[in-house]
Amino acid sequence: MTYSVLMRDMSLRDMPSCNISPRPVVMVSLDWLRDGDPPFGLGAASIVSSLRACGSNVRLVTDAVNGPKFSIDAFLDRVMVAISEAGTKVLVGISAFVWCEIEVQMLLRAIPPEIDVVLGGPQISYTIPGQLEQLYPRARYFVRGSGEFAMTSLVMRCAENGLHGLHIARMPDLCTRADYSLDSLPSPHLDGTTPIGNFVRWETRRGCLFACTFCQHKQPGTTLNNTNMATGRLLHEITAFCISGTEKIAVLDPIFNINDSRAVNLLNCMKECHIGAHLSLQCRFELTTDAFLDAVESLDVTLEFGLQTIHDDEAQAVCRPNHMTSVENVIEKLNSRHIPYEVSLIYGLPFQTVKSFQDSVDWCLEHGVPRVRAWPLMLLRGTPIYAQREKWGYVESTKDRIPLVVKSHWFSRSEHAKMTDIASSLS
């Protein structure tokens, strides 16, 4: 089934345009995929949809670096073939993540110097001014934040330094971040860019109002004005998921219930559509209302709450305080209503010891939390805790593709291993 009728109001009317032929693009995405995931990330898919909507010939080259058969040599060959087929005017866009930093550097060395390369993704968005050219001397363009408008400007040859988060190498780094209306973005789910299968990762909003020091969802130094996807688009996507018989939907919003009325409305629309898919929603305890619980109660849903720690000193150190009375009240309601949910913790926080981590685990279990998960702390580029690593005495692993904290002023490597064992036992 096609969704051209549904898409007719979802044009790129707000995007820059010129009366010239758009440049071809090779879009490169090296992902970290889990079982059942779509074949490539939603961020790259959204950019590809926008480029195709403005007439660009886009070739998407993607793979999972954590896949059992991944070969960087074979991947480089695929990228080179795509570039050769696209021609000398091609623009190569590469998504840079912490898990593929080595591969990105290899790509930059392998791509012929006459080819224009644009880098985006978290590794770019959170790099401080003055460092991008040092870290990636081969790239010509960099995009901080959402990439649809910047990439469209580049392929239409209308790009300006500092506009839509774009930084042009060797020009003043204004450190601007993309912040534009999301209403006009075409849906990669509806235009066929990413297939609607049994499992879908779905985006209804971007960014986060909170500023946890370990998280990259908050744009540093920026409060975004445009965060919500168009309601009309979301309703069409819900309908498409129902028609396609999607069995599981993981909503990517950092906090789905950050706007209670909007969240309730979306959930009620899903009910009206008789959606049968299982929903995974990331939520915050303090924002959970009775109206929200009423809306999820008759849906197949799992609510995911990031508590991180029960200890105030650990929470304050990472700007992630919890109002524990509210947390307890919501947990009591969830248990009494038999709404499936899980709680996530982080180990490796400032001031944390093996005992204090075990205390957080025990508190969750004693309060009847049906599933407790714990994740090791990562120091992601551009986050405040990344800049504070010497203050906390952090030492990172060197053997992992995604570096993890393994030592601090409060725990040794062997004690961190004990916390890892505790976390593993929860699974």
Side-chain angles (χ1 to χ4, degrees):
M1 177 179 180
T2 62
Y3 297 97
S4 57
V5 175
L6 300 180
M7 287 294 296
R8 63 187 177 192
D9 294 326
M10 300 179 192
S11 66
L12 294 180
R13 58 187 178 275
D14 298 324
M15 285 195 172
S17 61
C18 298
N19 294 321
I20 56 177
S21 177
R23 298 177 66 175
V25 174
V26 172
M27 192 72 191
V28 179
S29 182
L30 281 162
D31 301 303
W32 186 277
L33 299 182
R34 289 169 284 185
D35 290 342
D37 270 345
F40 49 87
L42 190 54
S46 184
I47 293 173
V48 169
S49 291
S50 296
L51 293 173
R52 287 175 174 166
C54 72
S56 176
N57 181 8
V58 185
R59 293 168 172 81
L60 179 61
V61 184
T62 182
D63 207 340
V65 296
N66 62 326
K69 297 182 180 180
F70 176 74
S71 164
I72 184 57
D73 292 332
F75 189 78
L76 286 172
D77 288 343
R78 290 170 55 202
V79 172
M80 294 305 117
V81 169
I83 291 174
S84 176
E85 292 175 347
T88 57
K89 295 182 180 180
V90 65
L91 182 72
V92 179
I94 303 175
S95 299
F97 296 90
V98 64
W99 56 73
C100 61
E101 179 71 18
I102 295 174
E103 286 77 12
V104 167
Q105 295 289 355
M106 294 176 70
L107 278 165
L108 291 173
R109 290 193 293 270
I111 295 173
E114 66 271 15
I115 301 297
D116 288 340
V117 176
V118 53
L119 294 181
Q123 293 292 88
I124 307 305
S125 296
Y126 298 92
T127 296
I128 63 176
Q131 289 191 354
L132 286 172
E133 286 89 344
Q134 298 176 29
L135 292 170
Y136 309 100
R138 172 63 188 82
R140 182 174 180 183
Y141 304 105
F142 304 91
V143 181
R144 289 187 172 95
S146 301
E148 294 93 352
F149 274 46
M151 285 295 291
T152 304
S153 296
L154 286 167
V155 302
M156 301 304 292
R157 302 174 177 85
C158 301
E160 296 181 29
N161 187 56
L163 187 63
H164 304 311
L166 180 67
H167 169 57
I168 301 176
R170 292 171 291 283
M171 293 187 70
D173 189 350
L174 305 177
C175 204
T176 58
R177 287 168 174 80
D179 185 13
Y180 44 78
S181 173
L182 308 179
D183 290 351
S184 65
L185 296 183
S187 166
H189 299 296
L190 300 179
D191 67 8
T193 297
T194 182
I196 302 177
N198 290 332
F199 176 50
V200 168
R201 292 196 181 278
W202 189 38
E203 180 182 43
T204 74
R205 68 185 315 278
R206 293 180 180 176
C208 184
L209 294 178
F210 297 96
C212 308
T213 66
F214 52 80
C215 182
Q216 285 183 331
H217 283 298
K218 171 70 174 179
Q219 294 279 3
T222 301
T223 299
L224 298 179
N225 296 313
N226 301 285
T227 58
N228 293 329
M229 292 294 178
T231 301
R233 163 180 162 168
L234 297 179
L235 297 181
H236 294 325
E237 288 175 334
I238 290 171
T239 302
F241 299 154
C242 290
I243 293 172
S244 300
T246 299
E247 297 177 356
K248 184 176 180 181
I249 300 172
V251 179
L252 298 180
D253 307 6
I255 304 178
F256 180 75
N257 64 334
I258 200 164
N259 183 323
D260 184 68
S261 60
R262 186 171 186 271
V264 169
N265 286 338
L266 279 176
L267 292 169
N268 287 335
C269 288
M270 294 181 201
K271 290 182 183 179
E272 292 175 8
C273 190
H274 302 291
I275 197 164
H278 177 81
L279 302 169
S280 298
L281 308 175
Q282 299 178 71
C283 304
R284 184 147 176 161
F285 280 116
E286 292 88 344
L287 301 176
T288 303
T289 65
D290 289 339
F292 179 76
L293 295 179
D294 290 340
V296 302
E297 199 163 18
S298 59
L299 289 168
D300 183 4
V301 64
T302 297
L303 304 183
E304 302 173 356
F305 295 94
L307 183 64
Q308 320 313 351
T309 177
I310 65 167
H311 299 287
D312 189 60
D313 57 342
E314 298 171 9
Q316 293 290 347
V318 293
C319 298
R320 181 58 176 86
N322 294 301
H323 191 285
M324 294 306 296
T325 300
S326 297
V327 173
E328 290 186 53
N329 289 338
V330 172
I331 285 178
E332 184 177 345
K333 291 176 181 178
L334 290 166
N335 289 339
S336 64
R337 290 173 180 244
H338 304 289
I339 296 174
Y341 70 101
E342 64 182 48
V343 171
S344 294
L345 304 172
I346 292 178
Y347 62 96
L349 297 171
F351 304 113
Q352 193 174 56
T353 64
V354 176
K355 181 183 183 304
S356 70
F357 173 54
Q358 184 69 64
D359 289 343
S360 291
V361 172
D362 292 342
W363 186 95
C364 292
L365 298 176
E366 290 165 2
H367 283 77
V369 175
R371 187 181 188 190
V372 184
R373 307 179 78 181
W375 308 99
L377 178 66
M378 297 180 290
L379 305 182
L380 301 175
R381 180 183 293 177
T383 58
I385 203 167
Y386 179 88
Q388 299 165 353
R389 54 194 185 278
E390 291 186 8
K391 173 182 177 180
W392 306 125
Y394 280 140
V395 176
E396 294 177 276
S397 62
T398 56
K399 63 179 181 180
D400 298 304
R401 181 177 282 274
I402 303 177
L404 308 175
V405 168
V406 295
K407 182 181 178 182
S408 78
H409 290 320
W410 297 274
F411 55 84
S412 64
R413 288 178 180 268
S414 62
E415 289 170 326
H416 183 269
K418 292 179 181 178
M419 290 191 278
T420 301
D421 290 340
I422 294 171
S424 298
S425 70
L426 297 172
S427 301

